[in-house]
């Protein structure tokens, strides 16, 4: 039997591309360092808006399959080889944006029974035995139903794992410090005339922006191969993301910064006086 890596990281995301935008540099770093990095994606993003005109014909199941291919290419760029769809590909459909009729589809993730979906994630946790879980905050970062549901399912699965004797030592939420976001957008305003995007987003458009003091861990990839890997992974999600480093845009064509330093809030405990630079700090030897 192959011995498990000492450090084991589980990330739970809603759609293909969320992982690269939020955690690409983090995933690349830990994969390169020999940690077990497991990504669980809850839907195939079948209702995503397609950017390239040449792919505009894709929709529904065809788009989902195409995005699965993009996900695999992105994970190859990050060096991550353990990628799973919750319950298998197509088990839960993309729910669309909040307030749309798509939310009522009985097969969409938003309508899934949380305990049932959490039990599927618990199977992964039992196998992988992660010490660290990364997912969204209760609002899903920005209110998307699949992101909110991913938070609920991940949180419930972590509770079930504790009851089952395979507790997860730490859970983190994806975050972005407000001063960092403000400084990045100030640079963007200066650079916008030279970019292929007509307008810029705003700080308020970004998910997970919080005050500085809530940040517990900062993973810095600036000037490292992990930053380039993140950009490459984002480019792999070509239906959803247009990259013009150090910026990118989604289907709304609004430019926003591509952050190669990633930030995390520790759940259930106050942030330390000094930010850690390792999600596993102090728990590397945990079983």
């Amino acid at each position: 039997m192959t011995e498990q890596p000492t450090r084991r990281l589980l990330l739970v995301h809603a759609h293909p591309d969320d992982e690269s935008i939020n955690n690409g540099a983090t995933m690349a770093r830990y994969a390169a360092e020999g940690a077990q990095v497991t990504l669980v994606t809850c839907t195939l993003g079948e209702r995503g808006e397609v950017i390239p005109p040449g792919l505009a014909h894709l929709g529904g199941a065809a788009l989902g399959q195409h995005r699965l291919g993009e996900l695999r290419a992105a994970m190859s760029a990050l060096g991550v080889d353990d990628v799973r769809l919750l319950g298998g590909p197509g088990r839960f459909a993309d729910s669309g944006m909040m307030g749309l009729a798509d939310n009522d589809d009985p097969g969409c993730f938003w309508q899934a029974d949380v305990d049932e979906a959490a039990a599927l994630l618990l199977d992964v946790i039992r196998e992988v035995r992660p010490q660290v879980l990364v997912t969204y905050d209760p609002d899903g970062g920005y209110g998307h139903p699949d992101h909110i549901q991913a938070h609920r399912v991940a949180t419930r699965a972590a509770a079930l794992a504790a009851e089952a004797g395979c507790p997860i030592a730490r859970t983190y939420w994806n975050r972005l410090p407000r001063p960092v976001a403000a400084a990045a957008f100030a640079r963007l305003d200066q650079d916008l005339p030279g970019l292929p995007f007509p307008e810029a987003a705003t700080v308020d458009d970004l998910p997970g922006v919080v005050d500085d003091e809530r940040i517990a861990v900062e993973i810095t990839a600036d000037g490292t191969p992990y930053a380039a890997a993140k950009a490459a992974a984002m480019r792999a999600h070509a239906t959803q993301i247009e990259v013009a480093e150090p910026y990118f845009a989604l289907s709304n064509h609004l430019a926003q910064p591509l952050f190669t330093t990633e930030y995390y809030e520790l759940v259930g405990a106050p942030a330390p006086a000094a930010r850690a630079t390792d999600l596993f700090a102090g728990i590397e030897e945990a079983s």
Side-chain angles (χ1 to χ4, degrees), residues 20-179:
S20 297
I21 295 170
N22 285 280
N23 312 115
T26 300
M27 296 171 75
R29 169 188 157 176
Y30 284 114
E33 291 178 354
Q36 171 69 40
V37 179
T38 299
L39 170 67
V40 174
T41 302
C42 297
T43 81
L44 289 172
E46 301 92 336
R47 292 188 167 105
E49 296 181 352
V50 176
I51 295 173
L55 297 175
H57 62 284
L58 292 173
L63 177 57
Q65 286 303 305
H66 188 90
R67 292 188 69 178
L68 178 58
E70 291 182 337
L71 178 62
R72 289 169 175 159
M75 293 305 94
S76 178
L78 298 179
V80 173
D81 57 15
D82 189 7
V83 183
R84 309 175 189 218
L85 276 296
L86 185 65
R91 173 65 180 81
F92 300 108
D94 186 344
S95 307
M97 298 300 288
M98 185 67 83
L100 298 181
D102 297 330
N103 304 164
D104 299 325
D105 179 350
C108 78
F109 190 46
W110 183 238
Q111 294 295 330
D113 180 89
V114 170
D115 281 340
E116 177 185 335
L120 296 172
L121 184 56
L122 177 61
D123 289 341
V124 178
I125 294 171
R126 287 180 184 274
E127 176 189 342
V128 175
R129 297 293 179 116
Q131 299 113 328
V132 173
L133 167 65
V134 170
T135 191
Y136 313 104
D137 67 11
D139 186 50
Y142 70 107
H144 191 294
D146 288 332
H147 289 236
I148 294 171
Q149 190 77 322
H151 162 83
R152 293 172 177 171
V153 170
T155 302
R156 179 60 178 147
L160 292 173
E163 294 171 5
C166 47
I168 299 171
R170 291 185 191 157
T171 297
Y172 294 97
W173 293 337
N174 298 298
R175 289 304 194 196
L176 181 64
R178 191 171 301 279

Side-chain angles (χ1 to χ4, degrees), residues 252-276:
N252 58 14
H253 305 293
L254 298 178
Q256 58 180 288
L258 194 165
F259 293 100
T260 54
T261 297
E262 295 166 350
Y263 303 86
Y264 300 91
E265 179 177 354
L266 178 62
V267 179
R275 286 181 194 168

Side-chain angles (χ1 to χ4, degrees), residues 139-252:
D139 186 50
Y142 70 107
H144 191 294
D146 288 332
H147 289 236
I148 294 171
Q149 190 77 322
H151 162 83
R152 293 172 177 171
V153 170
T155 302
R156 179 60 178 147
L160 292 173
E163 294 171 5
C166 47
I168 299 171
R170 291 185 191 157
T171 297
Y172 294 97
W173 293 337
N174 298 298
R175 289 304 194 196
L176 181 64
R178 191 171 301 279
V180 170
F185 273 96
R187 293 191 295 272
L188 171 55
D189 288 343
Q190 296 295 316
D191 294 343
L192 186 61
L195 297 176
F197 311 120
E199 298 179 57
T202 69
V203 171
D204 290 339
D205 293 322
L206 299 189
V209 177
V210 295
D211 294 337
D212 244 354
E213 57 265 24
R214 292 176 64 174
I215 305 301
V217 179
E218 175 179 321
I219 304 293
T220 301
D222 301 344
T224 72
Y226 313 135
K230 174 172 182 168
M234 290 175 63
R235 282 194 180 92
H237 290 290
T239 60
Q240 307 300 303
I241 305 172
E242 182 179 357
V243 177
E245 288 183 81
Y247 304 106
F248 75 99
L250 301 173
S251 59
N252 58 14

Side-chain angles (χ1 to χ4, degrees), residues 4-10 36 128-132 280 286-287:
Q4 284 187 314
T6 303
R7 298 181 297 171
R8 301 178 297 279
L9 169 63
L10 171 65
Q36 171 69 40
V128 175
R129 297 293 179 116
Q131 299 113 328
V132 173
F280 294 88
S287 61

